[in-house]
Amino acid sequence: MPGGRLTQQERRQIAQGLADNLSYAEIARRLERPTSTVTREVTRNGGPAGYRAEVAHRATEHRAHRRKQSAPRTARTAPQPHGRDAGEVRAYEEVFTTVMITSGMPTMMSRVVAALVLTDSGSLTAAELAGHLQVSPAAISKAIAYLESQGFVRRERGEGRRERYVVDDDVYYQSMMASARATAQVVATARQGVPVLRPGTPAATRLENIARFLDFVSESTARAAEQARDILHTKPAPSPAADADTAADADADADGSAVPPAQK
């Protein structure tokens, strides 16, 4: 299987595959490349409708030239905990980011979400995010403001005056509820327009249909999110120390050495 960067000829094959309405997986198979490589390439360079092989090739060369002139990306090559392979983690972060972009989230916001979600603590400072992603603090600040409005992140007071940006384990629940609240505002605004445009007219009827549809979808989404959170939300695994204490208590109960609460 070929490795390294895509060649100009491979980019032309990608463009032809897109023109032929082939899937990313089929294009990747013909190139003998991972599907994630084709997905990232197309997403970074205009998407399926806007991808142009020559433009993509020049843009990639420009990015490579800029990387050579920038500071070493030490934050992204730091040793990984739990025996993880640093290269595999970086590659997966690229894939995760690409999927977020494809779903409609802006590029920088997608990169910030990926960095936070794939961190065990689920929280990073602005400086840590800027170092990891090799971008300016201003870019991080703009991304965080957007993500807060969408319910993806929240702020916590860290050491000193530093703020930490946090994603909770139920990050998508929070985001879906924020989306439901925003949709409810659209519903209310649409219904305000019905009397203005006079009930029964085509425009007023259109607004009422929009309101009814979005109201139903919003309520259904919020209800499903609540139910899924209650049923599926993963609780933190007990620590080894807690397991040992539980086992010791069980052994004590079994041999009668435990003291009943009334006798303590």
Side-chain angles (χ1 to χ4, degrees):
M1 181 177 291
R5 294 175 183 167
L6 289 166
T7 65
Q8 194 165 18
Q9 179 58 33
E10 285 177 317
R11 290 191 167 93
R12 288 171 181 159
Q13 289 179 259
I14 290 174
Q16 185 59 53
L18 293 172
D20 293 339
N21 293 318
L22 299 181
S23 67
Y24 291 161
E26 177 60 22
I27 295 172
R29 187 186 67 77
R30 295 186 180 190
L31 294 177
E32 297 185 343
R33 292 274 193 171
T35 302
S36 59
T37 298
V38 175
T39 303
R40 287 197 302 270
E41 168 69 13
V42 175
T43 303
R44 285 176 175 174
N45 296 287
Y51 185 82
R52 300 292 182 271
E54 304 302 326
V55 174
H57 195 70
R58 288 197 300 270
T60 301
E61 289 183 334
H62 178 66
R63 286 194 294 265
H65 179 68
R66 288 181 59 187
R67 280 196 293 268
K68 288 180 181 178
Q69 294 179 330
S70 64
R73 304 181 73 171
T74 55
R76 301 199 64 168
T77 56
Q80 290 286 321
H82 308 297
R84 296 168 182 151
D85 181 271
E88 289 181 355
V89 172
R90 285 197 303 274
Y92 179 72
E93 185 172 337
E94 291 274 356
V95 172
F96 191 98
T97 300
T98 298
V99 170
M100 296 292 289
I101 294 170
T102 304
S103 72
M105 182 177 287
T107 300
M108 181 52 61
M109 292 65 171
S110 298
R111 295 183 69 197
V112 169
V113 168
L116 288 168
V117 168
L118 303 185
T119 302
D120 283 317
S121 64
S123 72
L124 293 168
T125 65
E128 289 169 338
L129 280 167
H132 179 71
L133 299 176
Q134 292 293 288
V135 297
S136 69
I140 297 299
S141 178
K142 182 178 179 181
I144 290 296
Y146 171 87
L147 293 170
E148 276 189 304
S149 72
Q150 301 299 310
F152 271 96
V153 302
R154 58 182 173 83
R155 298 172 190 251
E156 281 186 356
R157 179 64 63 184
E159 298 179 2
R161 299 176 61 184
R162 290 186 176 182
E163 287 185 328
R164 299 193 71 84
Y165 306 124
V166 182
V167 290
D168 295 313
D169 290 345
D170 57 357
V171 55
Y172 268 94
Y173 165 79
Q174 300 293 347
S175 177
M176 290 180 73
M177 295 306 290
S179 176
R181 290 191 293 271
T183 301
Q185 291 182 333
V186 177
V187 171
T189 302
R191 284 184 170 147
Q192 287 174 5
V194 173
V196 175
L197 299 174
R198 300 293 186 268
T201 65
T205 300
R206 186 179 304 114
L207 277 179
E208 182 58 35
N209 287 337
I210 290 172
R212 292 173 60 198
F213 175 83
L214 291 179
D215 193 25
F216 182 87
V217 170
S218 179
E219 287 188 6
S220 299
T221 298
R223 185 164 55 249
E226 292 281 5
Q227 293 173 344
R229 187 193 197 197
D230 292 340
I231 297 171
L232 304 176
H233 187 66
T234 304
K235 300 297 187 293
S239 65
D243 288 343
D245 290 342
T246 301
D249 290 342
D251 291 341
D253 290 340
D255 63 14
S257 61
V259 179
Q263 297 180 21
K264 290 183 179 179

